[in-house]
């Protein structure tokens, strides 16, 4: 079917608009990368824009040698991996029974869960609950409040509902129980939504900031996001670097160190997203369609 002239004009307008939006999102990232790779004189002169000048890796070298960024990176990986695993397990266990038509009371349970999207207990009651459970200064305080997202659970439930009922009935005729049906039939058919929801949870846990500031007190347990924020707002980390090696420190600028830290925080998500991108659109759109 050939497109009309109006449709072609509409598509062209969308392509141009989205391309411009993509370029605008990419420019700050290129500028940060250029600052982190440029020499001191080039940065101080203000000539660094979208392409590095006097390329050097001293900022990254001193960042890894003079700051606890590797420990913070490990903490972020631990928080993200364990958090995503726990959240996915709980989300699947909540979405699957609510997707089964024979599950008694699923409508009222779904309404009760959706109610939590509109009204929450608030920050102080949540902190009191976490504190009473003895989870302050532990990563459990980050995992427990975010164990399941209502929005993610509803998307996954809708996706499960769209799985053909004939497959489910055929598996039950063959003697499959609910757990085997879930693990052997439903989950293999749900890779798009699993990858999408996993990405949502991964981005949330990797960028955890506010909860870490509230619940985690030990500097050794801080994640990468909080460490980079402290570097950007405080000069204490930069002063430690200057005291470590005067000759090397003279070849870098605070802007270069800060930019290098931000790039280290961003790069893992830039690597993971393209791997899951082919599932992303399908997982969101199919999970949002009832039929």
């Amino acid at each position: 079917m050939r497109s009309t002239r109006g449709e072609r004009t509409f598509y062209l307008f969308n392509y141009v608009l989205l391309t411009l939006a993509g370029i605008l999102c990419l420019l700050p990232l290129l500028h940060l990368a250029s600052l982190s790779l440029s020499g001191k004189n080039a940065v101080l002169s203000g000539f660094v824009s979208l392409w590095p000048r006097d390329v050097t890796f001293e900022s990254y070298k001193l960042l890894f040698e003079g700051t606890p960024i590797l420990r913070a990176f490990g903490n972020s990986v631990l928080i993200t991996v364990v958090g995503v695993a726990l959240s996915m397990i709980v989300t699947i266990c909540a979405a699957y029974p609510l997707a089964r038509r024979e599950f008694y009371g699923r409508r009222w349970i779904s309404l009760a869960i959706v109610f939590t999207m509109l009204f929450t207990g608030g920050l102080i009651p949540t902190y009191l609950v976490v504190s009473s459970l003895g989870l302050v200064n532990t990563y459990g305080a980050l995992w427990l409040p975010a164990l399941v997202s209502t929005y993610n659970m509803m998307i996954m439930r809708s996706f499960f509902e769209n799985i053909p009922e004939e497959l489910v009935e055929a598996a039950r005729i063959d003697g499959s129980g609910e757990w085997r049906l879930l693990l052997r039939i439903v989950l293999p058919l749900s890779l798009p939504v699993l990858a999408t929801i996993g990405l949502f949870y991964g981005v949330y846990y990797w960028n955890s900031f506010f909860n870490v500031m509230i619940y985690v007190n030990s500097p050794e347990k801080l994640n990468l996001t909080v460490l980079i924020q402290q570097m950007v707002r405080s000069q204490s980390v930069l002063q430690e670097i200057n005291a470590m090696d005067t000759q090397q420190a003279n070849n870098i600028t605070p802007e270069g160190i800060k930019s290098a830290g931000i790039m280290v925080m961003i790069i893992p998500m830039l690597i993971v997203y393209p791997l899951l991108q082919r599932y992303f659109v399908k997982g969101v759109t199919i999970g949002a369609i009832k039929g």
Side-chain angles (χ1 to χ4, degrees):
M1 183 176 179
R2 298 182 60 181
S3 300
T4 64
R5 183 177 180 180
E7 289 176 338
R8 290 195 297 270
T9 303
F10 176 74
Y11 294 149
L12 178 62
F13 175 78
N14 280 339
Y15 287 137
V16 173
L17 182 62
L18 293 175
T19 300
L20 291 176
I23 292 175
L24 291 177
C25 294
L26 187 62
L27 291 180
L29 183 62
L30 293 177
H31 181 63
L32 284 174
S34 299
L35 284 177
S36 67
L37 295 172
S38 298
K40 180 178 180 179
N41 294 332
V43 174
L44 293 178
S45 64
F47 291 139
V48 179
S49 56
L50 302 179
W51 193 258
R53 295 173 177 265
D54 302 332
V55 177
T56 177
F57 292 92
E58 289 296 329
S59 295
Y60 288 94
K61 183 178 180 181
L62 287 179
L63 179 69
F64 285 103
E65 291 180 354
T67 67
I69 193 168
L70 288 177
R71 182 180 63 201
F73 187 89
N75 293 339
S76 292
V77 171
L78 176 62
I79 293 171
T80 302
V81 172
V82 177
V84 170
L86 293 176
S87 293
M88 289 298 292
I89 291 173
V90 175
T91 302
I92 292 171
C93 291
Y96 176 72
L98 294 177
R100 302 268 58 87
R101 295 180 176 85
E102 62 273 14
F103 182 65
Y104 181 76
R106 71 181 187 126
R107 173 180 173 83
W108 299 106
I109 295 176
S110 298
L111 291 175
I113 294 175
V114 172
F115 181 81
T116 63
M117 297 179 66
L118 306 176
F119 302 97
T120 61
L123 177 61
I124 295 177
T126 302
Y127 182 87
L128 293 176
V129 171
V130 172
S131 178
S132 64
L133 294 175
L135 297 178
V136 175
N137 203 31
T138 68
Y139 292 147
L142 308 180
W143 295 326
L144 183 61
L147 201 55
V148 61
S149 166
T150 304
Y151 175 78
N152 294 341
M153 191 275 292
M154 298 303 291
I155 291 178
M156 189 173 293
R157 189 201 70 168
S158 298
F159 194 99
F160 289 165
E161 288 178 341
N162 287 315
I163 294 177
E165 193 66 27
E166 292 78 8
L167 293 175
V168 176
E169 293 298 331
R172 286 176 174 166
I173 292 174
D174 290 338
S176 296
E178 291 298 334
W179 284 107
R180 187 175 182 181
L181 178 62
L182 173 64
L183 298 176
R184 297 294 183 88
I185 304 297
V186 175
L187 293 185
L189 294 174
S190 305
L191 289 180
V193 75
L194 294 178
T196 302
I197 300 304
L199 180 62
F200 287 166
Y201 280 126
V203 171
Y204 171 81
Y205 283 112
W206 182 262
N207 294 327
S208 295
F209 173 75
F210 189 66
N211 287 345
V212 177
M213 294 289 291
I214 293 176
Y215 297 120
V216 179
N217 304 322
S218 301
E220 296 79 11
K221 295 182 179 180
L222 296 180
N223 64 344
L224 192 59
T225 307
V226 175
L227 178 65
I228 299 302
Q229 184 267 349
Q230 291 179 350
M231 289 178 55
V232 171
R233 295 192 58 184
S234 175
Q235 298 295 325
S236 59
V237 177
L238 301 178
Q239 292 174 356
E240 293 177 3
I241 294 177
N242 291 333
M244 181 188 68
D245 192 328
T246 304
Q247 184 176 359
Q248 281 186 309
N250 288 334
N251 297 326
I252 63 171
T253 61
E255 290 76 13
I257 288 289
K258 295 174 183 178
S259 300
I262 295 173
M263 291 304 300
V264 171
M265 182 180 65
I266 294 175
I267 286 175
M269 288 294 104
L270 294 180
I271 295 175
V272 171
Y273 181 79
L275 300 177
L276 302 178
Q277 192 270 340
R278 64 193 182 105
Y279 297 110
F280 188 77
V281 175
K282 184 178 179 182
V284 174
T285 54
I286 294 181
I289 296 175
K290 172 86 175 184

